[in-house]
Structures are given as structure tokens and as C-alpha cells.
Amino acid sequence: MKTVYKKPESITNKPTTYCPGCPHGIAHRLVAELLEEMNLTRETVIVWPVGCSVFGYYFIGTDAVEAAHGRACAMATGIKRTHPESFVMTYQGDGDLASIGIAETVHAAARGEKITVVYINNGNYGMTGGQMAPTTLIGQKTTTSPYGRDPKLTGFPMHVPEMLATLEATAYIARAALDSPQHIIQAKKFLKKAFNTQVNGIGFSLVEMISSCPTNWKMTPVEAMERIRQEVLPVFPIGEFKVAEGVE
Amino acid sequence: MGEKILMKGAEVIAEAAIRAGCMAFFGYPITPQNEVPEYFSRRMPKLGRVFLQAGSEVAAINMVYGAACTGTRVITTSSSPGISLMQEGFSYIANSDVPCVVVNAMRGGPGLGDIAPAQADYSQAVKGGGHGDYHSIVIAPHTLQEEADLMFDAFDLADKYRIMTVVLVDGLMGQMMEPVEFKEWVDVKKFKAPDWATVGQRDRDQRNIITSLEILPEGLEKMNLRLQEKYRKIEKNEIRFEEYKMDDAEYAITAFGTVARIAKTVVGMARDEGIKLGLIRPITLWPFPTKLIEKRAKQLKFFFDSELNAGQMLEDVKLAVNGRKPVYFYGKLGGVVPSAEDIYKEFKKHMEGGR
Ligand SMILES: Cc1ncc(C[n+]2csc(CCOP(=O)(O)OP(=O)(O)O)c2C)c(N)n1
Ligand code: SF4
Ligand SMILES: [Mg+2]
């Protein structure tokens, strides 16, 4: 019998802690598929964040550490610098990476740390109940922007890939989206380039994945995906922002 | 043992750490310990080891945390304001059971304070400092030779108990020069990743996860009880102190680090006048030599605690003495260091009163 579909080797049998329809699961699968395809599962240390994916190490079965909120890129630096032969990846939300951990992220990128960052932007703090994040859209209502995000008070959504692409030491920087099969296939291509960037020792790589949070957006999973297309992607366009020489 | 080398305290820290097999340094510049990272930055690349200047102390301690999760001998060094920033990392490191060494060359506080020698981070270091119920081993050398020796022990203790060891010194110890003799180089070729290290699963049967998170209270209670068990073991095995002229003492100074060094002169001054004064010098500030102080309370008329703070170790001395005898205190604040004469004069005030 021909196998048409199977679980990637590193995906465990643990039921996830994610809400129904949450794209964290899609991102996990992409990571796990690539680790298997690229024969990296047993070489890998994943640095997990504080956020809804805080228990990620239960779902992707590699060696793993759990960082303090925002510190994943620093922790990954400590691992990679002392063990350059290991494949070191962080998986971080937008609160974790773009708010509390922005300094650690920018400096890891500026140093050209040979790590890969999977950055899940769902426009809010999912885990703590949907508060405003640096990525929250103008006018978007969250539990801490109940009247809608007002740029006069809290500025504008933060475009991390665009910022990091300006740093000379970054090697591969892209933004993908998890809203449709087509975009998910593209996300995997981007992620593969990011993984390759590390495997080939080129430099820092990051893929932002535009995600949703149906629970805190108070939408059905389908409505949330539609909102990504209608409202989020116009502000956060998909694309590759930095492709250094040698990245494939 | 090799030959004696005249060295600055800050460089002794770095050289001893390197010889003890420290494979990685992560840190952020701060006075009065900049010579430590500078020394590491010269030596580590030549030895094929890691030196990295982080973007902040927050980043530095989390790099240390990452390296510690791989079982690598790793160090950071800083001074008071930087150490405050690292407290988050210390707490995570404690509940992850990973080994590392941290040096705090204490300076005057609070806030930005000054860059003069102080001991005002005693409580922060020995009581935990970050959130949660935890301890780090805290050791306080009082000479550069002792510093050179204790750096080796700091790494050994960290590895043995999978714990953070803090080497607590002050700016004065970083700046002074003394001849020191280093222990033999640790053979780092013998190092291999411990079976718990997160370096990629490879041919290991189980995969390794290092986390300080346990969402179920019963589970977290278990983790805490395991930590407490480890602390009791350390308290049982690792208390270190020096007693100086204590056999016949009627009075004792309690002091650590720089003040203990000055106190030895004070003891000499008292002895010259026929006063039976001794010194109890805790070397491990945690675990604290409580039993020793309790025991010595019997023979003494009073204790006289002296520190470069407003009375922090004093609390631990008082707890040990537990009201059996008076415990007097003399402290200098904000980076002011007393002379032996100052301390002796203060001590004698109580002697006259106590007679
Ligand atoms: C130092 C610290 N501050 C605050 C928190 C509380 N906290 C937990 S998760 C989180 C936000 C996570 O949001 P994000 O990174 O966007 O991840 P998501 O849940 O949306 O996937 C916050 C603020 C914490 N754990 N630690
Ligand atoms: S709160 Fe949002 S991000 Fe978190 S699991 Fe639920 S849907 Fe996903
Ligand atoms: Mg989020």
C-alpha cells in the first residue's frame, strides 16, 4: 500500500494545548516535516518561548529548552556558540519576540548568529488573553486596546522582517502566511531556505508566519483566516526581505 | 602548581576560570570588573573557546543559561546593577538544574550608586535574588590566592550539584595586585556532554528537555522539594569557613571578603594589647556556617560583625547566635572602606561597654 500521508517523525502523540483551528499546529507541522526531510531531527535543539507554544516541546520531539519570556535568541546563542554542530532553532510569538524580546532578537540578528527563528505573528498575546501586541493592527480591539489601537497612543504595527533585513549580518529574512494551502506551501519553501541558511553556516535566518488567534479574535477559524487575507496581509505583506548570497 | 605570578584580581578571576576549564564567557561591560571580560576576550579565541559580548546583562545571562543547558563550563561576570538585571536568568537556571558560574564584583548602590567597593548585594546573593524558593552557592574569597583557588571549586561545585555558583567579591579585590599560584590546568579534552544536556538527541535513546515550567501545582511542588533536598545536601557537605585565632578567643569579628582581610589586621592590633579577639570568616556565604557560630557563642562575650553594607550578613550571624550573646555591628556604606583602626576603635567601644 502506498503511504500518502503520515505524521512527521518528530510530532509526538500528545494532544496539543492549542485551541481548535489555531495555526500554531500548522507551523509545528511545517517545522517537523522539514526537520525530517533534512535529516535534522536528532541534531536539533529547539528553544521554546513563553506564549501559547510554551509547551511546544511536548508536541515536537527534539531536544529542547524552555526560555524565559523573550530570551529565546539569547539562549539559542549560548547553545549554538558552544555547539556549532547542533541545529538550533527558536520558535517565538509576536509578544515574545517583538515586544519583550526585541533587544535579544535584534542583537542576535546583528551578530549574524547562525540560528533560525520561527516567528509566529498572531497580532496579540494569545496566551494571556488577547492583549495588544506590537503587531496589533490600527483600530484593532484587544483586551488592552478596548477602543481599538490608536497610533497616537501606541504607535503602529511593528514590521520585524523589514527591520532585521536592514542589518548586514542577516542572511535570510522572510514573511509567510498560514491562512491558505497555497500560502502554507510557500511558507514551507521559505522555512526550508531558512533552515538551509543555518545548515550551510551562512548566518541568521528568520521567517515570520502570519497566523491567527481565533479564540481571542472571537472568530471562527475560517473567519480568522479570512481576516488574515482581508486585513492583516495588506499591512504585513508576504515576501522575502533578505536573501544573502549562497542561500538556496 | 606552577610559579607565582603577580596579577590583578580581575585577571586572576579570568585566568583561573580558563585553567578550570571554562569554555565560554558571555557578559556585558560594567565597572569595576571590565578587566575580566577584556582578559577573556584576549585569551578565549586563542584557545578555541567562546567569548561573546552580549547586548545587555539580560541577554548575557540567558546565553549563559543556553550554554549551561549543554553542560558546558560557562561563566559571566558583572557588577551590582548588571547582576540585578540577571536575576530573572538566575531564577530560571535554579529551577532548571543547570550549572554555571557568576562573578559579582560588588559596587556601591542602590541604583547606579558608585563604582567603589561594597558588599551590599549580600542578601540578594545568598537569599536567592530572583523569584521563587531557590539558592545559589555563594563563595567569597578574601585574597587573590584564595580567589585563584576558589574559581576551580566554583566550577566543580556547579557541576557536582548542577547549580549556579556565585563568586562574590568587591571592586577592591578586582583592582588590587598580588602574587598568585594557579592550580593545574583542567584537561578539557576529557569533557563530554552530560547525559542530560540538550545538544541534539543523536544516538541517545531519550530526548532531553530542560524547562523550569511545571504547570500543575503538585508537579511544581515536587520540583521544589527536589530543589530543597539538593540544598540540604549542599548545606551538609559544602560549608566552608576560616577561623583565625579563635581557639582562646573571648570576642569574635564576623566578616567576609575584603572586610575579613582588614579584620585580620584588627585581630593583630587587639592581640598586641592582650585582647583575645578572633575572626570567623565564612567562605561559603550560602551555605552559611550557622553551626560553627552557634558553637562559638558559648565561649565568646560578644560578636562584632563588620561589613560594607548596613548589616546584611549580620542577620545570618544573629540567627545563628539566636540571642545567646550580643551581636554588635559596624558597617560602612556607599563604597566607603574602613581602615583597620576604624574597625578596632568601633570594636573597643563595645568592649568597654561590655565589661
Ligand atoms: C517576564 C514575563 N512577563 C510576562 C509574562 C506573561 N506572558 C506570558 S505569555 C505572554 C504573551 C505571549 O504572547 P505571544 O508571544 O504573542 O504568544 P502567543 O500566545 O500569542 O502565541 C505574556 C505577556 C511572562 N510569562 N513573563
Ligand atoms: S489563544 Fe490564540 S494563539 Fe493561543 S492557542 Fe488559542 S487560538 Fe492559538
Ligand atoms: Mg501572539
Side-chain angles (χ1 to χ4, degrees):
Chain A
M1 214 166 57
K2 192 169 161 264
T3 307
V4 286
Y5 184 90
K6 73 173 185 48
K7 202 162 63 65
E9 60 185 7
S10 62
I11 294 288
T12 67
N13 290 323
K14 269 233 172 199
T16 77
T17 40
Y18 302 116
C19 304
C22 175
H24 269 304
I26 302 172
H28 284 23
R29 183 173 170 110
L30 294 183
V31 168
E33 280 180 0
L34 281 171
L35 289 180
E36 179 165 2
E37 286 163 24
M38 296 173 71
N39 229 339
L40 289 170
T41 305
R42 283 179 170 256
E43 319 281 303
T44 296
V45 186
I46 302 182
V47 183
W48 290 97
V50 179
C52 283
S53 45
V54 70
F55 289 120
Y57 45 82
Y58 287 138
F59 317 134
I60 301 185
T62 65
D63 268 15
V65 298
E66 167 53 45
H69 193 22
R71 317 296 178 223
C73 281
M75 215 175 166
T77 298
I79 298 169
K80 187 70 181 182
R81 289 275 174 149
T82 53
H83 290 78
E85 73 288 355
S86 299
F87 183 81
V88 182
M89 191 198 102
T90 75
Y91 183 106
Q92 302 177 254
D94 45 344
D96 193 83
L97 183 144
S99 190
I100 194 167
I102 192 68
E104 286 74 18
T105 308
V106 168
H107 282 288
R111 290 190 304 267
E113 238 24 271
K114 294 181 181 67
I115 59 172
T116 304
V117 176
V118 178
Y119 167 43
I120 308 295
N121 174 358
N122 58 10
N124 69 25
Y125 289 13
M127 166 157 250
T128 41
Q131 293 84 3
M132 192 183 75
T135 46
T136 297
L137 302 188
I138 298 304
Q140 185 180 335
K141 286 185 179 155
T142 69
T143 53
T144 52
S145 57
Y147 308 113
R149 182 175 186 175
D150 178 354
K152 288 206 276 303
L153 295 175
T154 53
F156 293 84
M158 211 157 136
H159 294 77
V160 172
E162 287 87 337
M163 278 167 55
L164 296 186
T166 65
L167 298 168
E168 267 179 72
T170 53
Y172 183 74
I173 307 282
R175 178 182 295 117
L178 300 175
D179 63 296
S180 65
Q182 190 196 353
H183 283 159
I184 291 166
I185 290 166
Q186 186 186 35
K188 188 171 171 184
K189 282 193 185 132
F190 287 177
L191 196 58
K192 186 168 186 176
K193 285 194 192 174
F195 280 21
N196 268 326
T197 301
Q198 179 176 171
V199 169
N200 297 329
I202 301 173
F204 182 88
S205 52
L206 173 144
V207 179
E208 174 173 343
M209 302 206 176
I210 299 297
S211 187
S212 74
C213 178
T215 300
N216 290 302
W217 292 6
K218 300 187 174 46
M219 289 176 173
T220 65
V222 175
E223 287 166 355
M225 294 307 195
E226 193 51 36
R227 176 178 178 260
I228 290 181
R229 284 185 288 275
Q230 298 303 323
E231 298 179 28
V232 185
L233 293 185
V235 181
F236 288 104
I238 291 172
E240 295 180 303
F241 298 92
K242 181 84 166 273
V243 186
E245 216 181 313
V247 172
E248 50 195 290
Chain B
M1 290 265 179
E3 82 278 36
K4 280 210 181 242
I5 316 171
L6 184 68
M7 276 179 101
K8 204 170 179 179
E11 300 190 335
V12 170
I13 289 170
E15 183 59 32
I18 288 167
R19 292 182 190 224
C22 177
M23 299 304 286
F25 172 96
F26 301 97
Y28 188 80
I30 184 168
T31 310
Q33 59 82 57
N34 291 316
E35 293 87 345
V36 184
E38 285 166 8
Y39 192 90
F40 273 116
S41 73
R42 291 196 294 276
R43 296 273 280 139
M44 296 297 260
K46 296 255 156 84
L47 294 164
R49 304 187 191 181
V50 176
F51 169 86
L52 188 62
Q53 182 169 322
S56 70
E57 287 87 353
V58 175
I61 192 60
N62 284 286
M63 291 172 184
V64 167
Y65 184 17
C69 289
T70 69
T72 303
R73 285 201 158 182
V74 58
I75 194 169
T76 186
T77 66
S78 186
S79 177
S80 311
I83 295 290
S84 286
L85 270 183
M86 291 184 186
Q87 296 298 331
E88 177 197 55
F90 295 171
S91 170
Y92 280 72
I93 285 167
N95 207 23
S96 301
D97 291 302
V98 291
C100 66
V101 174
V102 172
V103 178
N104 179 2
M106 293 179 283
R107 60 187 242 183
L112 202 48
D114 62 22
I115 56 171
Q119 297 181 323
D121 306 346
Y122 173 94
S123 296
Q124 189 194 49
V126 307
K127 307 295 177 188
H131 58 284
D133 274 318
Y134 76 92
H135 283 289
S136 312
I137 295 177
V138 183
I139 51 187
H142 80 314
T143 63
L144 298 197
Q145 183 58 57
E146 189 180 30
E147 182 176 84
D149 294 338
L150 285 177
M151 285 309 295
F152 283 72
D153 299 352
F155 283 102
D156 289 344
L157 288 167
D159 283 346
K160 180 172 173 191
Y161 294 100
R162 290 171 60 182
I163 197 169
M164 182 172 106
T165 307
V166 178
V167 179
L168 202 61
V169 295
D170 57 59
L172 203 68
M173 287 206 51
Q175 298 306 314
M176 69 165 113
M177 288 184 87
E178 264 175 5
V180 295
E181 208 175 316
F182 291 102
K183 293 191 210 175
E184 289 295 335
W185 284 74
V186 168
D187 182 5
V188 299
K189 284 201 250 22
K190 289 203 188 114
F191 285 171
K192 64 177 193 13
D195 56 6
W196 50 263
T198 50
V199 291
Q201 186 177 351
R202 299 175 205 278
D203 350 327
R204 217 189 303 120
D205 289 337
Q206 89 290 357
R207 66 189 179 100
N208 290 335
I209 300 168
I210 295 179
T211 177
S212 63
L213 174 68
E214 170 51 65
I215 205 75
L216 298 172
E218 293 75 15
L220 188 56
E221 183 183 44
K222 257 195 212 131
M223 279 169 82
N224 267 277
L225 289 171
R226 197 204 54 223
L227 279 181
Q228 292 302 321
E229 207 176 291
K230 167 158 98 176
Y231 299 150
R232 295 301 86 77
K233 215 195 277 172
I234 295 170
E235 283 170 341
K236 191 162 156 259
N237 300 332
E238 307 299 346
I239 291 172
R240 297 184 196 190
F241 53 81
E242 182 197 1
E243 290 199 290
Y244 182 68
K245 308 233 158 116
M246 280 303 297
D247 283 351
D248 64 342
E250 294 176 357
Y251 311 92
I253 300 183
T254 51
F256 70 96
T258 288
V259 182
R261 185 188 176 109
I262 303 169
K264 284 189 173 170
T265 310
V266 178
V267 168
M269 291 162 89
R271 294 270 166 179
D272 285 348
E273 294 190 359
I275 299 168
K276 290 184 174 160
L277 176 63
L279 167 70
I280 297 173
R281 179 174 73 88
I283 297 171
T284 51
L285 301 181
W286 193 89
F288 191 73
T290 305
K291 289 233 168 66
L292 168 83
I293 289 174
E294 191 185 324
K295 186 186 89 186
R296 287 296 184 197
K298 289 193 196 98
Q299 84 189 54
L300 296 171
K301 295 199 169 112
F302 65 75
F303 289 84
F304 180 77
D305 182 79
S306 187
E307 303 172 55
L308 303 181
N309 60 43
Q312 298 191 12
M313 185 174 82
L314 173 68
E315 292 181 3
D316 289 327
V317 174
K318 280 187 171 170
L319 272 174
V321 174
N322 201 12
R324 290 179 190 91
K325 294 289 161 67
V327 183
Y328 300 114
F329 176 71
Y330 176 58
K332 287 301 238 175
L333 307 181
V336 179
V337 181
S339 66
E341 288 75 17
D342 294 337
I343 296 177
Y344 188 43
K345 210 171 93 195
E346 284 301 315
F347 163 76
K348 280 207 356 198
K349 278 188 198 162
H350 299 292
M351 247 202 76
E352 275 136 31
R355 254 176 192 166

PDB file of all heavy atoms in Angstrom, chain A residues 181-203:
ATOM      1  N   PRO A 181      -3.832  26.875   1.894  1.00  0.00           N
ATOM      2  CA  PRO A 181      -2.889  25.834   1.458  1.00  0.00           C
ATOM      3  C   PRO A 181      -1.766  26.412   0.604  1.00  0.00           C
ATOM      4  O   PRO A 181      -0.588  26.065   0.789  1.00  0.00           O
ATOM      5  CB  PRO A 181      -3.762  24.879   0.643  1.00  0.00           C
ATOM      6  CG  PRO A 181      -5.131  25.062   1.210  1.00  0.00           C
ATOM      7  CD  PRO A 181      -5.227  26.502   1.618  1.00  0.00           C
ATOM      8  N   GLN A 182      -2.111  27.316  -0.282  1.00  0.00           N
ATOM      9  CA  GLN A 182      -1.112  27.914  -1.175  1.00  0.00           C
ATOM     10  C   GLN A 182      -0.035  28.652  -0.366  1.00  0.00           C
ATOM     11  O   GLN A 182       1.161  28.486  -0.590  1.00  0.00           O
ATOM     12  CB  GLN A 182      -1.868  28.871  -2.089  1.00  0.00           C
ATOM     13  CG  GLN A 182      -1.094  29.425  -3.236  1.00  0.00           C
ATOM     14  CD  GLN A 182      -1.838  30.644  -3.806  1.00  0.00           C
ATOM     15  OE1 GLN A 182      -2.973  30.945  -3.406  1.00  0.00           O
ATOM     16  NE2 GLN A 182      -1.194  31.327  -4.719  1.00  0.00           N
ATOM     17  N   HIS A 183      -0.498  29.467   0.585  1.00  0.00           N
ATOM     18  CA  HIS A 183       0.453  30.210   1.418  1.00  0.00           C
ATOM     19  C   HIS A 183       1.264  29.287   2.321  1.00  0.00           C
ATOM     20  O   HIS A 183       2.418  29.571   2.632  1.00  0.00           O
ATOM     21  CB  HIS A 183      -0.285  31.263   2.260  1.00  0.00           C
ATOM     22  CG  HIS A 183      -0.664  32.473   1.468  1.00  0.00           C
ATOM     23  ND1 HIS A 183      -1.662  33.344   1.855  1.00  0.00           N
ATOM     24  CD2 HIS A 183      -0.188  32.951   0.288  1.00  0.00           C
ATOM     25  CE1 HIS A 183      -1.777  34.315   0.959  1.00  0.00           C
ATOM     26  NE2 HIS A 183      -0.893  34.094  -0.008  1.00  0.00           N
ATOM     27  N   ILE A 184       0.637  28.197   2.748  1.00  0.00           N
ATOM     28  CA  ILE A 184       1.344  27.269   3.641  1.00  0.00           C
ATOM     29  C   ILE A 184       2.463  26.561   2.876  1.00  0.00           C
ATOM     30  O   ILE A 184       3.575  26.375   3.400  1.00  0.00           O
ATOM     31  CB  ILE A 184       0.350  26.260   4.271  1.00  0.00           C
ATOM     32  CG1 ILE A 184      -0.571  27.008   5.256  1.00  0.00           C
ATOM     33  CG2 ILE A 184       1.083  25.135   4.994  1.00  0.00           C
ATOM     34  CD1 ILE A 184      -1.789  26.236   5.707  1.00  0.00           C
ATOM     35  N   ILE A 185       2.171  26.210   1.624  1.00  0.00           N
ATOM     36  CA  ILE A 185       3.219  25.590   0.785  1.00  0.00           C
ATOM     37  C   ILE A 185       4.379  26.571   0.602  1.00  0.00           C
ATOM     38  O   ILE A 185       5.554  26.219   0.714  1.00  0.00           O
ATOM     39  CB  ILE A 185       2.632  25.149  -0.576  1.00  0.00           C
ATOM     40  CG1 ILE A 185       1.693  23.954  -0.355  1.00  0.00           C
ATOM     41  CG2 ILE A 185       3.740  24.777  -1.569  1.00  0.00           C
ATOM     42  CD1 ILE A 185       0.801  23.636  -1.540  1.00  0.00           C
ATOM     43  N   GLN A 186       4.025  27.823   0.390  1.00  0.00           N
ATOM     44  CA  GLN A 186       5.062  28.858   0.245  1.00  0.00           C
ATOM     45  C   GLN A 186       5.839  29.040   1.565  1.00  0.00           C
ATOM     46  O   GLN A 186       7.062  29.211   1.563  1.00  0.00           O
ATOM     47  CB  GLN A 186       4.380  30.169  -0.150  1.00  0.00           C
ATOM     48  CG  GLN A 186       5.342  31.286  -0.472  1.00  0.00           C
ATOM     49  CD  GLN A 186       4.597  32.601  -0.702  1.00  0.00           C
ATOM     50  OE1 GLN A 186       3.576  32.871  -0.057  1.00  0.00           O
ATOM     51  NE2 GLN A 186       5.086  33.393  -1.636  1.00  0.00           N
ATOM     52  N   ALA A 187       5.100  28.996   2.678  1.00  0.00           N
ATOM     53  CA  ALA A 187       5.749  29.142   3.984  1.00  0.00           C
ATOM     54  C   ALA A 187       6.806  28.057   4.166  1.00  0.00           C
ATOM     55  O   ALA A 187       7.901  28.306   4.682  1.00  0.00           O
ATOM     56  CB  ALA A 187       4.710  29.064   5.104  1.00  0.00           C
ATOM     57  N   LYS A 188       6.470  26.853   3.726  1.00  0.00           N
ATOM     58  CA  LYS A 188       7.426  25.754   3.871  1.00  0.00           C
ATOM     59  C   LYS A 188       8.675  26.004   3.020  1.00  0.00           C
ATOM     60  O   LYS A 188       9.797  25.718   3.446  1.00  0.00           O
ATOM     61  CB  LYS A 188       6.768  24.432   3.478  1.00  0.00           C
ATOM     62  CG  LYS A 188       7.647  23.234   3.789  1.00  0.00           C
ATOM     63  CD  LYS A 188       6.938  21.922   3.618  1.00  0.00           C
ATOM     64  CE  LYS A 188       7.938  20.775   3.739  1.00  0.00           C
ATOM     65  NZ  LYS A 188       7.292  19.479   3.477  1.00  0.00           N
ATOM     66  N   LYS A 189       8.461  26.555   1.829  1.00  0.00           N
ATOM     67  CA  LYS A 189       9.621  26.869   0.966  1.00  0.00           C
ATOM     68  C   LYS A 189      10.528  27.888   1.638  1.00  0.00           C
ATOM     69  O   LYS A 189      11.748  27.757   1.630  1.00  0.00           O
ATOM     70  CB  LYS A 189       9.136  27.428  -0.382  1.00  0.00           C
ATOM     71  CG  LYS A 189       8.646  26.352  -1.321  1.00  0.00           C
ATOM     72  CD  LYS A 189       8.465  26.889  -2.742  1.00  0.00           C
ATOM     73  CE  LYS A 189       7.859  25.798  -3.612  1.00  0.00           C
ATOM     74  NZ  LYS A 189       6.713  26.293  -4.406  1.00  0.00           N
ATOM     75  N   PHE A 190       9.920  28.926   2.182  1.00  0.00           N
ATOM     76  CA  PHE A 190      10.707  29.951   2.886  1.00  0.00           C
ATOM     77  C   PHE A 190      11.468  29.325   4.062  1.00  0.00           C
ATOM     78  O   PHE A 190      12.645  29.589   4.277  1.00  0.00           O
ATOM     79  CB  PHE A 190       9.791  31.071   3.412  1.00  0.00           C
ATOM     80  CG  PHE A 190       9.262  31.995   2.339  1.00  0.00           C
ATOM     81  CD1 PHE A 190       8.363  33.014   2.676  1.00  0.00           C
ATOM     82  CD2 PHE A 190       9.641  31.879   1.004  1.00  0.00           C
ATOM     83  CE1 PHE A 190       7.870  33.892   1.711  1.00  0.00           C
ATOM     84  CE2 PHE A 190       9.149  32.745   0.028  1.00  0.00           C
ATOM     85  CZ  PHE A 190       8.253  33.751   0.387  1.00  0.00           C
ATOM     86  N   LEU A 191      10.727  28.504   4.812  1.00  0.00           N
ATOM     87  CA  LEU A 191      11.337  27.913   6.002  1.00  0.00           C
ATOM     88  C   LEU A 191      12.502  27.003   5.618  1.00  0.00           C
ATOM     89  O   LEU A 191      13.519  26.949   6.309  1.00  0.00           O
ATOM     90  CB  LEU A 191      10.268  27.142   6.798  1.00  0.00           C
ATOM     91  CG  LEU A 191      10.644  26.789   8.230  1.00  0.00           C
ATOM     92  CD1 LEU A 191      10.986  28.037   9.030  1.00  0.00           C
ATOM     93  CD2 LEU A 191       9.493  26.042   8.920  1.00  0.00           C
ATOM     94  N   LYS A 192      12.334  26.315   4.509  1.00  0.00           N
ATOM     95  CA  LYS A 192      13.412  25.434   4.051  1.00  0.00           C
ATOM     96  C   LYS A 192      14.673  26.255   3.735  1.00  0.00           C
ATOM     97  O   LYS A 192      15.791  25.869   4.086  1.00  0.00           O
ATOM     98  CB  LYS A 192      12.983  24.652   2.817  1.00  0.00           C
ATOM     99  CG  LYS A 192      14.013  23.617   2.402  1.00  0.00           C
ATOM    100  CD  LYS A 192      13.486  22.651   1.385  1.00  0.00           C
ATOM    101  CE  LYS A 192      14.554  21.562   1.160  1.00  0.00           C
ATOM    102  NZ  LYS A 192      14.100  20.535   0.250  1.00  0.00           N
ATOM    103  N   LYS A 193      14.466  27.396   3.118  1.00  0.00           N
ATOM    104  CA  LYS A 193      15.620  28.263   2.842  1.00  0.00           C
ATOM    105  C   LYS A 193      16.271  28.721   4.150  1.00  0.00           C
ATOM    106  O   LYS A 193      17.494  28.808   4.245  1.00  0.00           O
ATOM    107  CB  LYS A 193      15.183  29.492   2.036  1.00  0.00           C
ATOM    108  CG  LYS A 193      14.895  29.218   0.583  1.00  0.00           C
ATOM    109  CD  LYS A 193      14.806  30.536  -0.160  1.00  0.00           C
ATOM    110  CE  LYS A 193      14.236  30.346  -1.550  1.00  0.00           C
ATOM    111  NZ  LYS A 193      14.015  31.638  -2.233  1.00  0.00           N
ATOM    112  N   ALA A 194      15.418  29.027   5.121  1.00  0.00           N
ATOM    113  CA  ALA A 194      15.943  29.473   6.414  1.00  0.00           C
ATOM    114  C   ALA A 194      16.767  28.365   7.068  1.00  0.00           C
ATOM    115  O   ALA A 194      17.866  28.608   7.579  1.00  0.00           O
ATOM    116  CB  ALA A 194      14.799  29.901   7.331  1.00  0.00           C
ATOM    117  N   PHE A 195      16.223  27.150   7.046  1.00  0.00           N
ATOM    118  CA  PHE A 195      16.959  26.002   7.623  1.00  0.00           C
ATOM    119  C   PHE A 195      18.283  25.810   6.877  1.00  0.00           C
ATOM    120  O   PHE A 195      19.325  25.592   7.488  1.00  0.00           O
ATOM    121  CB  PHE A 195      16.109  24.721   7.542  1.00  0.00           C
ATOM    122  CG  PHE A 195      15.067  24.603   8.634  1.00  0.00           C
ATOM    123  CD1 PHE A 195      14.619  25.717   9.325  1.00  0.00           C
ATOM    124  CD2 PHE A 195      14.528  23.362   8.967  1.00  0.00           C
ATOM    125  CE1 PHE A 195      13.659  25.607  10.331  1.00  0.00           C
ATOM    126  CE2 PHE A 195      13.573  23.240   9.964  1.00  0.00           C
ATOM    127  CZ  PHE A 195      13.129  24.361  10.650  1.00  0.00           C
ATOM    128  N   ASN A 196      18.207  25.881   5.554  1.00  0.00           N
ATOM    129  CA  ASN A 196      19.423  25.721   4.752  1.00  0.00           C
ATOM    130  C   ASN A 196      20.469  26.776   5.101  1.00  0.00           C
ATOM    131  O   ASN A 196      21.668  26.506   5.090  1.00  0.00           O
ATOM    132  CB  ASN A 196      19.093  25.846   3.257  1.00  0.00           C
ATOM    133  CG  ASN A 196      18.807  24.484   2.658  1.00  0.00           C
ATOM    134  OD1 ASN A 196      19.402  23.496   3.052  1.00  0.00           O
ATOM    135  ND2 ASN A 196      17.875  24.440   1.709  1.00  0.00           N
ATOM    136  N   THR A 197      19.997  27.971   5.368  1.00  0.00           N
ATOM    137  CA  THR A 197      20.902  29.074   5.704  1.00  0.00           C
ATOM    138  C   THR A 197      21.754  28.699   6.919  1.00  0.00           C
ATOM    139  O   THR A 197      22.954  28.943   6.947  1.00  0.00           O
ATOM    140  CB  THR A 197      20.090  30.353   6.005  1.00  0.00           C
ATOM    141  OG1 THR A 197      19.328  30.661   4.845  1.00  0.00           O
ATOM    142  CG2 THR A 197      20.988  31.516   6.350  1.00  0.00           C
ATOM    143  N   GLN A 198      21.097  28.074   7.892  1.00  0.00           N
ATOM    144  CA  GLN A 198      21.862  27.651   9.072  1.00  0.00           C
ATOM    145  C   GLN A 198      22.746  26.440   8.768  1.00  0.00           C
ATOM    146  O   GLN A 198      23.927  26.417   9.133  1.00  0.00           O
ATOM    147  CB  GLN A 198      20.918  27.326  10.235  1.00  0.00           C
ATOM    148  CG  GLN A 198      21.691  26.860  11.457  1.00  0.00           C
ATOM    149  CD  GLN A 198      20.836  26.602  12.692  1.00  0.00           C
ATOM    150  OE1 GLN A 198      21.337  26.069  13.661  1.00  0.00           O
ATOM    151  NE2 GLN A 198      19.564  26.982  12.692  1.00  0.00           N
ATOM    152  N   VAL A 199      22.163  25.458   8.099  1.00  0.00           N
ATOM    153  CA  VAL A 199      22.915  24.232   7.816  1.00  0.00           C
ATOM    154  C   VAL A 199      24.190  24.566   7.026  1.00  0.00           C
ATOM    155  O   VAL A 199      25.251  23.997   7.273  1.00  0.00           O
ATOM    156  CB  VAL A 199      22.034  23.229   7.027  1.00  0.00           C
ATOM    157  CG1 VAL A 199      22.863  22.071   6.482  1.00  0.00           C
ATOM    158  CG2 VAL A 199      20.913  22.702   7.924  1.00  0.00           C
ATOM    159  N   ASN A 200      24.084  25.507   6.113  1.00  0.00           N
ATOM    160  CA  ASN A 200      25.256  25.884   5.315  1.00  0.00           C
ATOM    161  C   ASN A 200      26.131  26.945   5.989  1.00  0.00           C
ATOM    162  O   ASN A 200      27.054  27.476   5.378  1.00  0.00           O
ATOM    163  CB  ASN A 200      24.821  26.366   3.923  1.00  0.00           C
ATOM    164  CG  ASN A 200      24.134  25.251   3.138  1.00  0.00           C
ATOM    165  OD1 ASN A 200      24.463  24.079   3.317  1.00  0.00           O
ATOM    166  ND2 ASN A 200      23.160  25.588   2.308  1.00  0.00           N
ATOM    167  N   GLY A 201      25.789  27.263   7.236  1.00  0.00           N
ATOM    168  CA  GLY A 201      26.635  28.153   8.031  1.00  0.00           C
ATOM    169  C   GLY A 201      26.704  29.578   7.502  1.00  0.00           C
ATOM    170  O   GLY A 201      27.705  30.267   7.683  1.00  0.00           O
ATOM    171  N   ILE A 202      25.609  30.030   6.859  1.00  0.00           N
ATOM    172  CA  ILE A 202      25.667  31.356   6.224  1.00  0.00           C
ATOM    173  C   ILE A 202      25.388  32.488   7.220  1.00  0.00           C
ATOM    174  O   ILE A 202      26.082  33.489   7.221  1.00  0.00           O
ATOM    175  CB  ILE A 202      24.705  31.427   5.025  1.00  0.00           C
ATOM    176  CG1 ILE A 202      25.095  30.353   3.997  1.00  0.00           C
ATOM    177  CG2 ILE A 202      24.748  32.814   4.369  1.00  0.00           C
ATOM    178  CD1 ILE A 202      24.144  30.205   2.843  1.00  0.00           C
ATOM    179  N   GLY A 203      24.380  32.298   8.058  1.00  0.00           N
ATOM    180  CA  GLY A 203      24.109  33.370   9.020  1.00  0.00           C
ATOM    181  C   GLY A 203      22.725  33.266   9.626  1.00  0.00           C
ATOM    182  O   GLY A 203      22.122  32.192   9.656  1.00  0.00           O
TER     183      GLY A 203
END
